[in-house]
PDB file of all heavy atoms in Angstrom:
ATOM      1  N   ALA A 212       3.190 -11.849  -9.648  1.00  0.00           N
ATOM      2  CA  ALA A 212       2.539 -10.595  -9.248  1.00  0.00           C
ATOM      3  C   ALA A 212       3.473  -9.410  -9.432  1.00  0.00           C
ATOM      4  O   ALA A 212       4.679  -9.523  -9.231  1.00  0.00           O
ATOM      5  CB  ALA A 212       2.112 -10.689  -7.793  1.00  0.00           C
ATOM      6  N   LEU A 213       2.905  -8.271  -9.825  1.00  0.00           N
ATOM      7  CA  LEU A 213       3.676  -7.046  -9.987  1.00  0.00           C
ATOM      8  C   LEU A 213       3.187  -6.016  -8.979  1.00  0.00           C
ATOM      9  O   LEU A 213       2.181  -5.351  -9.195  1.00  0.00           O
ATOM     10  CB  LEU A 213       3.532  -6.500 -11.414  1.00  0.00           C
ATOM     11  CG  LEU A 213       4.082  -7.380 -12.539  1.00  0.00           C
ATOM     12  CD1 LEU A 213       3.640  -6.874 -13.899  1.00  0.00           C
ATOM     13  CD2 LEU A 213       5.608  -7.432 -12.485  1.00  0.00           C
ATOM     14  N   CYS A 214       3.888  -5.929  -7.848  1.00  0.00           N
ATOM     15  CA  CYS A 214       3.563  -4.931  -6.822  1.00  0.00           C
ATOM     16  C   CYS A 214       4.784  -4.053  -6.621  1.00  0.00           C
ATOM     17  O   CYS A 214       5.912  -4.551  -6.618  1.00  0.00           O
ATOM     18  CB  CYS A 214       3.203  -5.603  -5.492  1.00  0.00           C
ATOM     19  SG  CYS A 214       1.628  -6.494  -5.526  1.00  0.00           S
ATOM     20  N   SER A 215       4.567  -2.728  -6.436  1.00  0.00           N
ATOM     21  CA  SER A 215       5.702  -1.822  -6.223  1.00  0.00           C
ATOM     22  C   SER A 215       6.375  -2.118  -4.884  1.00  0.00           C
ATOM     23  O   SER A 215       5.789  -2.785  -4.023  1.00  0.00           O
ATOM     24  CB  SER A 215       5.246  -0.362  -6.304  1.00  0.00           C
ATOM     25  OG  SER A 215       4.202  -0.124  -5.385  1.00  0.00           O
ATOM     26  N   TYR A 216       7.580  -1.605  -4.693  1.00  0.00           N
ATOM     27  CA  TYR A 216       8.427  -1.970  -3.539  1.00  0.00           C
ATOM     28  C   TYR A 216       7.755  -1.760  -2.178  1.00  0.00           C
ATOM     29  O   TYR A 216       8.000  -2.498  -1.249  1.00  0.00           O
ATOM     30  CB  TYR A 216       9.766  -1.202  -3.587  1.00  0.00           C
ATOM     31  CG  TYR A 216       9.641   0.251  -3.194  1.00  0.00           C
ATOM     32  CD1 TYR A 216       9.966   0.677  -1.903  1.00  0.00           C
ATOM     33  CD2 TYR A 216       9.170   1.207  -4.092  1.00  0.00           C
ATOM     34  CE1 TYR A 216       9.829   2.003  -1.525  1.00  0.00           C
ATOM     35  CE2 TYR A 216       9.032   2.534  -3.728  1.00  0.00           C
ATOM     36  CZ  TYR A 216       9.370   2.936  -2.438  1.00  0.00           C
ATOM     37  OH  TYR A 216       9.230   4.236  -2.064  1.00  0.00           O
ATOM     38  N   ASN A 217       6.883  -0.738  -2.061  1.00  0.00           N
ATOM     39  CA  ASN A 217       6.270  -0.473  -0.748  1.00  0.00           C
ATOM     40  C   ASN A 217       4.885  -1.105  -0.595  1.00  0.00           C
ATOM     41  O   ASN A 217       4.125  -0.742   0.272  1.00  0.00           O
ATOM     42  CB  ASN A 217       6.211   1.034  -0.475  1.00  0.00           C
ATOM     43  CG  ASN A 217       5.421   1.792  -1.534  1.00  0.00           C
ATOM     44  OD1 ASN A 217       5.012   1.221  -2.539  1.00  0.00           O
ATOM     45  ND2 ASN A 217       5.205   3.074  -1.318  1.00  0.00           N
ATOM     46  N   ARG A 218       4.580  -2.075  -1.476  1.00  0.00           N
ATOM     47  CA  ARG A 218       3.298  -2.780  -1.385  1.00  0.00           C
ATOM     48  C   ARG A 218       3.530  -4.281  -1.285  1.00  0.00           C
ATOM     49  O   ARG A 218       4.494  -4.780  -1.821  1.00  0.00           O
ATOM     50  CB  ARG A 218       2.420  -2.463  -2.594  1.00  0.00           C
ATOM     51  CG  ARG A 218       2.036  -0.994  -2.620  1.00  0.00           C
ATOM     52  CD  ARG A 218       1.057  -0.706  -3.717  1.00  0.00           C
ATOM     53  NE  ARG A 218       0.846   0.726  -3.803  1.00  0.00           N
ATOM     54  CZ  ARG A 218      -0.297   1.279  -4.150  1.00  0.00           C
ATOM     55  NH1 ARG A 218      -1.308   0.533  -4.448  1.00  0.00           N
ATOM     56  NH2 ARG A 218      -0.429   2.568  -4.198  1.00  0.00           N
ATOM     57  N   ARG A 219       2.607  -4.967  -0.611  1.00  0.00           N
ATOM     58  CA  ARG A 219       2.716  -6.423  -0.498  1.00  0.00           C
ATOM     59  C   ARG A 219       1.580  -7.066  -1.272  1.00  0.00           C
ATOM     60  O   ARG A 219       0.504  -6.489  -1.424  1.00  0.00           O
ATOM     61  CB  ARG A 219       2.729  -6.865   0.964  1.00  0.00           C
ATOM     62  CG  ARG A 219       1.512  -6.488   1.764  1.00  0.00           C
ATOM     63  CD  ARG A 219       1.752  -6.655   3.264  1.00  0.00           C
ATOM     64  NE  ARG A 219       0.740  -5.929   4.015  1.00  0.00           N
ATOM     65  CZ  ARG A 219      -0.236  -6.496   4.684  1.00  0.00           C
ATOM     66  NH1 ARG A 219      -0.348  -7.810   4.730  1.00  0.00           N
ATOM     67  NH2 ARG A 219      -1.118  -5.779   5.340  1.00  0.00           N
ATOM     68  N   CYS A 220       1.837  -8.262  -1.737  1.00  0.00           N
ATOM     69  CA  CYS A 220       0.886  -8.989  -2.585  1.00  0.00           C
ATOM     70  C   CYS A 220      -0.075  -9.793  -1.721  1.00  0.00           C
ATOM     71  O   CYS A 220       0.333 -10.436  -0.758  1.00  0.00           O
ATOM     72  CB  CYS A 220       1.692  -9.914  -3.498  1.00  0.00           C
ATOM     73  SG  CYS A 220       0.680 -10.931  -4.569  1.00  0.00           S
ATOM     74  N   VAL A 221      -1.374  -9.736  -2.070  1.00  0.00           N
ATOM     75  CA  VAL A 221      -2.401 -10.533  -1.387  1.00  0.00           C
ATOM     76  C   VAL A 221      -3.078 -11.395  -2.454  1.00  0.00           C
ATOM     77  O   VAL A 221      -3.644 -10.874  -3.413  1.00  0.00           O
ATOM     78  CB  VAL A 221      -3.437  -9.631  -0.674  1.00  0.00           C
ATOM     79  CG1 VAL A 221      -4.507 -10.482   0.022  1.00  0.00           C
ATOM     80  CG2 VAL A 221      -2.763  -8.697   0.326  1.00  0.00           C
ATOM     81  N   ASN A 222      -2.973 -12.718  -2.310  1.00  0.00           N
ATOM     82  CA  ASN A 222      -3.553 -13.630  -3.294  1.00  0.00           C
ATOM     83  C   ASN A 222      -5.058 -13.750  -3.099  1.00  0.00           C
ATOM     84  O   ASN A 222      -5.551 -13.763  -1.985  1.00  0.00           O
ATOM     85  CB  ASN A 222      -2.897 -15.013  -3.169  1.00  0.00           C
ATOM     86  CG  ASN A 222      -3.369 -15.956  -4.256  1.00  0.00           C
ATOM     87  OD1 ASN A 222      -3.281 -15.653  -5.441  1.00  0.00           O
ATOM     88  ND2 ASN A 222      -3.887 -17.109  -3.854  1.00  0.00           N
ATOM     89  N   THR A 223      -5.816 -13.814  -4.212  1.00  0.00           N
ATOM     90  CA  THR A 223      -7.250 -14.064  -4.174  1.00  0.00           C
ATOM     91  C   THR A 223      -7.536 -15.198  -5.157  1.00  0.00           C
ATOM     92  O   THR A 223      -6.670 -15.523  -5.970  1.00  0.00           O
ATOM     93  CB  THR A 223      -8.066 -12.816  -4.595  1.00  0.00           C
ATOM     94  OG1 THR A 223      -7.718 -12.480  -5.941  1.00  0.00           O
ATOM     95  CG2 THR A 223      -7.826 -11.639  -3.684  1.00  0.00           C
ATOM     96  N   PHE A 224      -8.721 -15.793  -5.126  1.00  0.00           N
ATOM     97  CA  PHE A 224      -9.034 -16.886  -6.039  1.00  0.00           C
ATOM     98  C   PHE A 224      -9.090 -16.344  -7.467  1.00  0.00           C
ATOM     99  O   PHE A 224      -9.909 -15.496  -7.788  1.00  0.00           O
ATOM    100  CB  PHE A 224     -10.359 -17.563  -5.666  1.00  0.00           C
ATOM    101  CG  PHE A 224     -10.673 -18.757  -6.524  1.00  0.00           C
ATOM    102  CD1 PHE A 224     -10.009 -19.954  -6.323  1.00  0.00           C
ATOM    103  CD2 PHE A 224     -11.607 -18.686  -7.546  1.00  0.00           C
ATOM    104  CE1 PHE A 224     -10.273 -21.062  -7.120  1.00  0.00           C
ATOM    105  CE2 PHE A 224     -11.885 -19.779  -8.350  1.00  0.00           C
ATOM    106  CZ  PHE A 224     -11.212 -20.980  -8.124  1.00  0.00           C
ATOM    107  N   GLY A 225      -8.179 -16.809  -8.303  1.00  0.00           N
ATOM    108  CA  GLY A 225      -8.141 -16.405  -9.708  1.00  0.00           C
ATOM    109  C   GLY A 225      -7.428 -15.093  -9.976  1.00  0.00           C
ATOM    110  O   GLY A 225      -7.334 -14.659 -11.114  1.00  0.00           O
ATOM    111  N   SER A 226      -6.914 -14.445  -8.918  1.00  0.00           N
ATOM    112  CA  SER A 226      -6.245 -13.159  -9.120  1.00  0.00           C
ATOM    113  C   SER A 226      -5.404 -12.794  -7.894  1.00  0.00           C
ATOM    114  O   SER A 226      -5.086 -13.657  -7.077  1.00  0.00           O
ATOM    115  CB  SER A 226      -7.299 -12.083  -9.408  1.00  0.00           C
ATOM    116  OG  SER A 226      -6.670 -10.901  -9.846  1.00  0.00           O
ATOM    117  N   TYR A 227      -5.064 -11.504  -7.757  1.00  0.00           N
ATOM    118  CA  TYR A 227      -4.325 -10.974  -6.608  1.00  0.00           C
ATOM    119  C   TYR A 227      -4.501  -9.456  -6.583  1.00  0.00           C
ATOM    120  O   TYR A 227      -4.960  -8.860  -7.556  1.00  0.00           O
ATOM    121  CB  TYR A 227      -2.833 -11.324  -6.693  1.00  0.00           C
ATOM    122  CG  TYR A 227      -2.071 -10.540  -7.754  1.00  0.00           C
ATOM    123  CD1 TYR A 227      -1.376  -9.382  -7.431  1.00  0.00           C
ATOM    124  CD2 TYR A 227      -2.066 -10.952  -9.083  1.00  0.00           C
ATOM    125  CE1 TYR A 227      -0.694  -8.653  -8.416  1.00  0.00           C
ATOM    126  CE2 TYR A 227      -1.389 -10.238 -10.059  1.00  0.00           C
ATOM    127  CZ  TYR A 227      -0.699  -9.088  -9.719  1.00  0.00           C
ATOM    128  OH  TYR A 227      -0.042  -8.367 -10.685  1.00  0.00           O
ATOM    129  N   TYR A 228      -4.151  -8.831  -5.452  1.00  0.00           N
ATOM    130  CA  TYR A 228      -4.101  -7.367  -5.419  1.00  0.00           C
ATOM    131  C   TYR A 228      -2.929  -6.923  -4.549  1.00  0.00           C
ATOM    132  O   TYR A 228      -2.367  -7.720  -3.799  1.00  0.00           O
ATOM    133  CB  TYR A 228      -5.427  -6.749  -4.953  1.00  0.00           C
ATOM    134  CG  TYR A 228      -5.827  -7.038  -3.520  1.00  0.00           C
ATOM    135  CD1 TYR A 228      -5.540  -6.137  -2.499  1.00  0.00           C
ATOM    136  CD2 TYR A 228      -6.521  -8.198  -3.184  1.00  0.00           C
ATOM    137  CE1 TYR A 228      -5.924  -6.384  -1.185  1.00  0.00           C
ATOM    138  CE2 TYR A 228      -6.907  -8.459  -1.887  1.00  0.00           C
ATOM    139  CZ  TYR A 228      -6.607  -7.540  -0.889  1.00  0.00           C
ATOM    140  OH  TYR A 228      -6.976  -7.787   0.402  1.00  0.00           O
ATOM    141  N   CYS A 229      -2.531  -5.669  -4.691  1.00  0.00           N
ATOM    142  CA  CYS A 229      -1.390  -5.126  -3.958  1.00  0.00           C
ATOM    143  C   CYS A 229      -1.881  -4.244  -2.814  1.00  0.00           C
ATOM    144  O   CYS A 229      -2.731  -3.389  -3.018  1.00  0.00           O
ATOM    145  CB  CYS A 229      -0.498  -4.320  -4.891  1.00  0.00           C
ATOM    146  SG  CYS A 229       0.144  -5.280  -6.274  1.00  0.00           S
ATOM    147  N   LYS A 230      -1.341  -4.477  -1.635  1.00  0.00           N
ATOM    148  CA  LYS A 230      -1.749  -3.754  -0.428  1.00  0.00           C
ATOM    149  C   LYS A 230      -0.519  -3.067   0.163  1.00  0.00           C
ATOM    150  O   LYS A 230       0.599  -3.555   0.000  1.00  0.00           O
ATOM    151  CB  LYS A 230      -2.308  -4.789   0.559  1.00  0.00           C
ATOM    152  CG  LYS A 230      -3.064  -4.213   1.727  1.00  0.00           C
ATOM    153  CD  LYS A 230      -3.636  -5.353   2.569  1.00  0.00           C
ATOM    154  CE  LYS A 230      -4.392  -4.799   3.763  1.00  0.00           C
ATOM    155  NZ  LYS A 230      -4.987  -5.845   4.579  1.00  0.00           N
ATOM    156  N   CYS A 231      -0.717  -1.949   0.852  1.00  0.00           N
ATOM    157  CA  CYS A 231       0.417  -1.262   1.479  1.00  0.00           C
ATOM    158  C   CYS A 231       1.101  -2.169   2.503  1.00  0.00           C
ATOM    159  O   CYS A 231       0.423  -2.932   3.205  1.00  0.00           O
ATOM    160  CB  CYS A 231      -0.049   0.012   2.192  1.00  0.00           C
ATOM    161  SG  CYS A 231      -0.542   1.322   1.064  1.00  0.00           S
ATOM    162  N   GLN A 232       2.433  -2.085   2.575  1.00  0.00           N
ATOM    163  CA  GLN A 232       3.194  -2.843   3.577  1.00  0.00           C
ATOM    164  C   GLN A 232       2.743  -2.418   4.963  1.00  0.00           C
ATOM    165  O   GLN A 232       2.230  -1.316   5.144  1.00  0.00           O
ATOM    166  CB  GLN A 232       4.703  -2.549   3.443  1.00  0.00           C
ATOM    167  CG  GLN A 232       5.318  -3.000   2.140  1.00  0.00           C
ATOM    168  CD  GLN A 232       5.654  -4.478   2.112  1.00  0.00           C
ATOM    169  OE1 GLN A 232       5.187  -5.258   2.936  1.00  0.00           O
ATOM    170  NE2 GLN A 232       6.447  -4.872   1.150  1.00  0.00           N
ATOM    171  N   LEU A 233       2.939  -3.272   5.973  1.00  0.00           N
ATOM    172  CA  LEU A 233       2.615  -2.929   7.354  1.00  0.00           C
ATOM    173  C   LEU A 233       3.424  -1.697   7.743  1.00  0.00           C
ATOM    174  O   LEU A 233       4.605  -1.588   7.395  1.00  0.00           O
ATOM    175  CB  LEU A 233       2.926  -4.099   8.297  1.00  0.00           C
ATOM    176  CG  LEU A 233       2.061  -5.350   8.108  1.00  0.00           C
ATOM    177  CD1 LEU A 233       2.610  -6.507   8.900  1.00  0.00           C
ATOM    178  CD2 LEU A 233       0.619  -5.081   8.500  1.00  0.00           C
ATOM    179  N   GLY A 234       2.801  -0.778   8.434  1.00  0.00           N
ATOM    180  CA  GLY A 234       3.478   0.474   8.817  1.00  0.00           C
ATOM    181  C   GLY A 234       3.275   1.581   7.797  1.00  0.00           C
ATOM    182  O   GLY A 234       3.772   2.703   7.975  1.00  0.00           O
ATOM    183  N   TYR A 235       2.549   1.280   6.695  1.00  0.00           N
ATOM    184  CA  TYR A 235       2.237   2.277   5.656  1.00  0.00           C
ATOM    185  C   TYR A 235       0.732   2.301   5.441  1.00  0.00           C
ATOM    186  O   TYR A 235       0.045   1.320   5.687  1.00  0.00           O
ATOM    187  CB  TYR A 235       2.927   1.922   4.332  1.00  0.00           C
ATOM    188  CG  TYR A 235       4.434   2.034   4.385  1.00  0.00           C
ATOM    189  CD1 TYR A 235       5.214   0.974   4.849  1.00  0.00           C
ATOM    190  CD2 TYR A 235       5.084   3.188   3.975  1.00  0.00           C
ATOM    191  CE1 TYR A 235       6.595   1.066   4.908  1.00  0.00           C
ATOM    192  CE2 TYR A 235       6.469   3.294   4.021  1.00  0.00           C
ATOM    193  CZ  TYR A 235       7.221   2.229   4.488  1.00  0.00           C
ATOM    194  OH  TYR A 235       8.576   2.339   4.541  1.00  0.00           O
ATOM    195  N   GLU A 236       0.201   3.438   4.963  1.00  0.00           N
ATOM    196  CA  GLU A 236      -1.227   3.529   4.654  1.00  0.00           C
ATOM    197  C   GLU A 236      -1.416   4.228   3.313  1.00  0.00           C
ATOM    198  O   GLU A 236      -0.571   5.023   2.894  1.00  0.00           O
ATOM    199  CB  GLU A 236      -1.987   4.259   5.772  1.00  0.00           C
ATOM    200  CG  GLU A 236      -1.586   5.704   5.975  1.00  0.00           C
ATOM    201  CD  GLU A 236      -2.287   6.371   7.151  1.00  0.00           C
ATOM    202  OE1 GLU A 236      -3.301   5.838   7.633  1.00  0.00           O
ATOM    203  OE2 GLU A 236      -1.807   7.438   7.577  1.00  0.00           O
ATOM    204  N   LEU A 237      -2.540   3.925   2.645  1.00  0.00           N
ATOM    205  CA  LEU A 237      -2.827   4.491   1.334  1.00  0.00           C
ATOM    206  C   LEU A 237      -3.339   5.922   1.494  1.00  0.00           C
ATOM    207  O   LEU A 237      -4.310   6.162   2.188  1.00  0.00           O
ATOM    208  CB  LEU A 237      -3.875   3.628   0.618  1.00  0.00           C
ATOM    209  CG  LEU A 237      -3.996   3.792  -0.888  1.00  0.00           C
ATOM    210  CD1 LEU A 237      -2.711   3.384  -1.588  1.00  0.00           C
ATOM    211  CD2 LEU A 237      -5.142   2.976  -1.426  1.00  0.00           C
ATOM    212  N   LYS A 238      -2.640   6.881   0.853  1.00  0.00           N
ATOM    213  CA  LYS A 238      -3.019   8.298   0.920  1.00  0.00           C
ATOM    214  C   LYS A 238      -3.045   8.864  -0.489  1.00  0.00           C
ATOM    215  O   LYS A 238      -2.272   8.457  -1.351  1.00  0.00           O
ATOM    216  CB  LYS A 238      -1.992   9.078   1.749  1.00  0.00           C
ATOM    217  CG  LYS A 238      -2.142   8.925   3.254  1.00  0.00           C
ATOM    218  CD  LYS A 238      -2.808  10.139   3.883  1.00  0.00           C
ATOM    219  CE  LYS A 238      -3.086   9.979   5.356  1.00  0.00           C
ATOM    220  NZ  LYS A 238      -1.966  10.314   6.196  1.00  0.00           N
ATOM    221  N   TYR A 239      -3.938   9.853  -0.703  1.00  0.00           N
ATOM    222  CA  TYR A 239      -4.037  10.518  -2.006  1.00  0.00           C
ATOM    223  C   TYR A 239      -3.293  11.851  -1.930  1.00  0.00           C
ATOM    224  O   TYR A 239      -3.581  12.687  -1.089  1.00  0.00           O
ATOM    225  CB  TYR A 239      -5.507  10.741  -2.377  1.00  0.00           C
ATOM    226  CG  TYR A 239      -5.671  11.385  -3.733  1.00  0.00           C
ATOM    227  CD1 TYR A 239      -5.571  10.624  -4.890  1.00  0.00           C
ATOM    228  CD2 TYR A 239      -5.902  12.751  -3.862  1.00  0.00           C
ATOM    229  CE1 TYR A 239      -5.717  11.195  -6.134  1.00  0.00           C
ATOM    230  CE2 TYR A 239      -6.043  13.332  -5.105  1.00  0.00           C
ATOM    231  CZ  TYR A 239      -5.946  12.559  -6.236  1.00  0.00           C
ATOM    232  OH  TYR A 239      -6.076  13.128  -7.474  1.00  0.00           O
ATOM    233  N   ALA A 240      -2.298  12.029  -2.806  1.00  0.00           N
ATOM    234  CA  ALA A 240      -1.532  13.294  -2.845  1.00  0.00           C
ATOM    235  C   ALA A 240      -0.971  13.499  -4.245  1.00  0.00           C
ATOM    236  O   ALA A 240      -0.620  12.537  -4.934  1.00  0.00           O
ATOM    237  CB  ALA A 240      -0.401  13.255  -1.820  1.00  0.00           C
ATOM    238  N   ASN A 241      -0.888  14.740  -4.668  1.00  0.00           N
ATOM    239  CA  ASN A 241      -0.331  15.134  -5.972  1.00  0.00           C
ATOM    240  C   ASN A 241      -0.934  14.349  -7.150  1.00  0.00           C
ATOM    241  O   ASN A 241      -0.225  13.908  -8.041  1.00  0.00           O
ATOM    242  CB  ASN A 241       1.200  14.997  -5.987  1.00  0.00           C
ATOM    243  CG  ASN A 241       1.854  15.800  -4.879  1.00  0.00           C
ATOM    244  OD1 ASN A 241       1.355  16.853  -4.491  1.00  0.00           O
ATOM    245  ND2 ASN A 241       2.958  15.298  -4.356  1.00  0.00           N
ATOM    246  N   GLY A 242      -2.231  14.130  -7.096  1.00  0.00           N
ATOM    247  CA  GLY A 242      -2.918  13.510  -8.230  1.00  0.00           C
ATOM    248  C   GLY A 242      -2.910  11.996  -8.287  1.00  0.00           C
ATOM    249  O   GLY A 242      -3.425  11.417  -9.229  1.00  0.00           O
ATOM    250  N   HIS A 243      -2.301  11.315  -7.311  1.00  0.00           N
ATOM    251  CA  HIS A 243      -2.366   9.846  -7.313  1.00  0.00           C
ATOM    252  C   HIS A 243      -2.237   9.257  -5.909  1.00  0.00           C
ATOM    253  O   HIS A 243      -1.838   9.939  -4.979  1.00  0.00           O
ATOM    254  CB  HIS A 243      -1.315   9.242  -8.262  1.00  0.00           C
ATOM    255  CG  HIS A 243       0.091   9.605  -7.928  1.00  0.00           C
ATOM    256  ND1 HIS A 243       0.682  10.760  -8.354  1.00  0.00           N
ATOM    257  CD2 HIS A 243       1.025   8.945  -7.193  1.00  0.00           C
ATOM    258  CE1 HIS A 243       1.926  10.815  -7.893  1.00  0.00           C
ATOM    259  NE2 HIS A 243       2.155   9.735  -7.184  1.00  0.00           N
ATOM    260  N   TYR A 244      -2.583   7.963  -5.791  1.00  0.00           N
ATOM    261  CA  TYR A 244      -2.536   7.258  -4.517  1.00  0.00           C
ATOM    262  C   TYR A 244      -1.136   6.693  -4.286  1.00  0.00           C
ATOM    263  O   TYR A 244      -0.492   6.238  -5.217  1.00  0.00           O
ATOM    264  CB  TYR A 244      -3.555   6.111  -4.494  1.00  0.00           C
ATOM    265  CG  TYR A 244      -4.967   6.585  -4.276  1.00  0.00           C
ATOM    266  CD1 TYR A 244      -5.755   6.998  -5.342  1.00  0.00           C
ATOM    267  CD2 TYR A 244      -5.505   6.621  -2.997  1.00  0.00           C
ATOM    268  CE1 TYR A 244      -7.058   7.435  -5.136  1.00  0.00           C
ATOM    269  CE2 TYR A 244      -6.806   7.054  -2.792  1.00  0.00           C
ATOM    270  CZ  TYR A 244      -7.571   7.463  -3.852  1.00  0.00           C
ATOM    271  OH  TYR A 244      -8.857   7.893  -3.645  1.00  0.00           O
ATOM    272  N   ASN A 245      -0.689   6.757  -3.041  1.00  0.00           N
ATOM    273  CA  ASN A 245       0.612   6.231  -2.678  1.00  0.00           C
ATOM    274  C   ASN A 245       0.585   5.645  -1.279  1.00  0.00           C
ATOM    275  O   ASN A 245      -0.233   6.047  -0.453  1.00  0.00           O
ATOM    276  CB  ASN A 245       1.652   7.359  -2.714  1.00  0.00           C
ATOM    277  CG  ASN A 245       2.763   7.037  -3.686  1.00  0.00           C
ATOM    278  OD1 ASN A 245       3.105   5.875  -3.883  1.00  0.00           O
ATOM    279  ND2 ASN A 245       3.325   8.053  -4.301  1.00  0.00           N
ATOM    280  N   CYS A 246       1.494   4.707  -1.018  1.00  0.00           N
ATOM    281  CA  CYS A 246       1.631   4.165   0.333  1.00  0.00           C
ATOM    282  C   CYS A 246       2.616   5.046   1.094  1.00  0.00           C
ATOM    283  O   CYS A 246       3.771   5.163   0.695  1.00  0.00           O
ATOM    284  CB  CYS A 246       2.143   2.724   0.284  1.00  0.00           C
ATOM    285  SG  CYS A 246       0.932   1.579  -0.419  1.00  0.00           S
ATOM    286  N   VAL A 247       2.135   5.698   2.152  1.00  0.00           N
ATOM    287  CA  VAL A 247       2.999   6.590   2.934  1.00  0.00           C
ATOM    288  C   VAL A 247       3.167   6.043   4.340  1.00  0.00           C
ATOM    289  O   VAL A 247       2.298   5.343   4.862  1.00  0.00           O
ATOM    290  CB  VAL A 247       2.462   8.048   2.967  1.00  0.00           C
ATOM    291  CG1 VAL A 247       2.487   8.680   1.592  1.00  0.00           C
ATOM    292  CG2 VAL A 247       1.069   8.110   3.556  1.00  0.00           C
ATOM    293  N   ASP A 248       4.286   6.390   4.947  1.00  0.00           N
ATOM    294  CA  ASP A 248       4.622   5.921   6.283  1.00  0.00           C
ATOM    295  C   ASP A 248       3.599   6.399   7.312  1.00  0.00           C
ATOM    296  O   ASP A 248       3.174   7.549   7.278  1.00  0.00           O
ATOM    297  CB  ASP A 248       6.025   6.445   6.652  1.00  0.00           C
ATOM    298  CG  ASP A 248       6.399   6.140   8.087  1.00  0.00           C
ATOM    299  OD1 ASP A 248       6.353   4.956   8.462  1.00  0.00           O
ATOM    300  OD2 ASP A 248       6.722   7.086   8.837  1.00  0.00           O
ATOM    301  N   VAL A 249       3.198   5.500   8.216  1.00  0.00           N
ATOM    302  CA  VAL A 249       2.313   5.863   9.334  1.00  0.00           C
ATOM    303  C   VAL A 249       3.209   6.321  10.471  1.00  0.00           C
ATOM    304  O   VAL A 249       4.129   5.605  10.875  1.00  0.00           O
ATOM    305  CB  VAL A 249       1.471   4.641   9.801  1.00  0.00           C
ATOM    306  CG1 VAL A 249       0.665   4.975  11.047  1.00  0.00           C
ATOM    307  CG2 VAL A 249       0.555   4.160   8.684  1.00  0.00           C
ATOM    308  N   ASN A 250       2.970   7.541  10.986  1.00  0.00           N
ATOM    309  CA  ASN A 250       3.752   8.033  12.127  1.00  0.00           C
ATOM    310  C   ASN A 250       3.082   7.535  13.405  1.00  0.00           C
ATOM    311  O   ASN A 250       2.135   8.131  13.905  1.00  0.00           O
ATOM    312  CB  ASN A 250       3.829   9.567  12.098  1.00  0.00           C
ATOM    313  CG  ASN A 250       4.791  10.115  13.146  1.00  0.00           C
ATOM    314  OD1 ASN A 250       5.023   9.494  14.187  1.00  0.00           O
ATOM    315  ND2 ASN A 250       5.347  11.275  12.873  1.00  0.00           N
ATOM    316  N   GLU A 251       3.588   6.400  13.923  1.00  0.00           N
ATOM    317  CA  GLU A 251       2.994   5.758  15.098  1.00  0.00           C
ATOM    318  C   GLU A 251       3.094   6.657  16.342  1.00  0.00           C
ATOM    319  O   GLU A 251       2.267   6.564  17.245  1.00  0.00           O
ATOM    320  CB  GLU A 251       3.676   4.412  15.390  1.00  0.00           C
ATOM    321  CG  GLU A 251       3.426   3.341  14.360  1.00  0.00           C
ATOM    322  CD  GLU A 251       4.395   3.365  13.185  1.00  0.00           C
ATOM    323  OE1 GLU A 251       5.248   4.282  13.120  1.00  0.00           O
ATOM    324  OE2 GLU A 251       4.280   2.474  12.330  1.00  0.00           O
ATOM    325  N   CYS A 252       4.119   7.538  16.367  1.00  0.00           N
ATOM    326  CA  CYS A 252       4.331   8.424  17.525  1.00  0.00           C
ATOM    327  C   CYS A 252       3.228   9.470  17.597  1.00  0.00           C
ATOM    328  O   CYS A 252       2.695   9.759  18.671  1.00  0.00           O
ATOM    329  CB  CYS A 252       5.697   9.101  17.431  1.00  0.00           C
ATOM    330  SG  CYS A 252       7.061   7.913  17.337  1.00  0.00           S
ATOM    331  N   VAL A 253       2.843  10.035  16.436  1.00  0.00           N
ATOM    332  CA  VAL A 253       1.775  11.043  16.378  1.00  0.00           C
ATOM    333  C   VAL A 253       0.417  10.374  16.539  1.00  0.00           C
ATOM    334  O   VAL A 253      -0.465  10.863  17.239  1.00  0.00           O
ATOM    335  CB  VAL A 253       1.859  11.848  15.047  1.00  0.00           C
ATOM    336  CG1 VAL A 253       0.658  12.770  14.891  1.00  0.00           C
ATOM    337  CG2 VAL A 253       3.153  12.644  14.980  1.00  0.00           C
ATOM    338  N   ALA A 254       0.235   9.211  15.860  1.00  0.00           N
ATOM    339  CA  ALA A 254      -1.042   8.486  15.923  1.00  0.00           C
ATOM    340  C   ALA A 254      -1.275   7.838  17.286  1.00  0.00           C
ATOM    341  O   ALA A 254      -2.357   7.355  17.585  1.00  0.00           O
ATOM    342  CB  ALA A 254      -1.078   7.424  14.827  1.00  0.00           C
TER     343      ALA A 254
END
């Protein structure tokens, strides 16, 4: 599997997908999606 450093791999039957690491969430900024830190103190 090829997942970027801040994403974790989730296996599926016949394939896989990359999900944000725990403590991060998928956000859209500057023209693309990225995994950004969740501020647990504010949330």
Side-chain angles (χ1 to χ4, degrees):
L213 296 169
C214 291
S215 56
Y216 75 99
N217 59 354
R218 295 186 187 213
R219 60 194 163 108
C220 178
V221 179
N222 185 55
T223 61
F224 184 76
S226 191
Y227 72 95
Y228 66 96
C229 301
K230 193 176 179 178
C231 289
Q232 296 279 16
L233 294 170
Y235 293 85
E236 64 184 344
L237 198 63
K238 281 258 175 85
Y239 182 80
N241 304 328
H243 59 275
Y244 283 86
N245 239 329
C246 292
V247 295
D248 173 55
V249 174
N250 188 333
E251 292 87 356
C252 302
V253 173

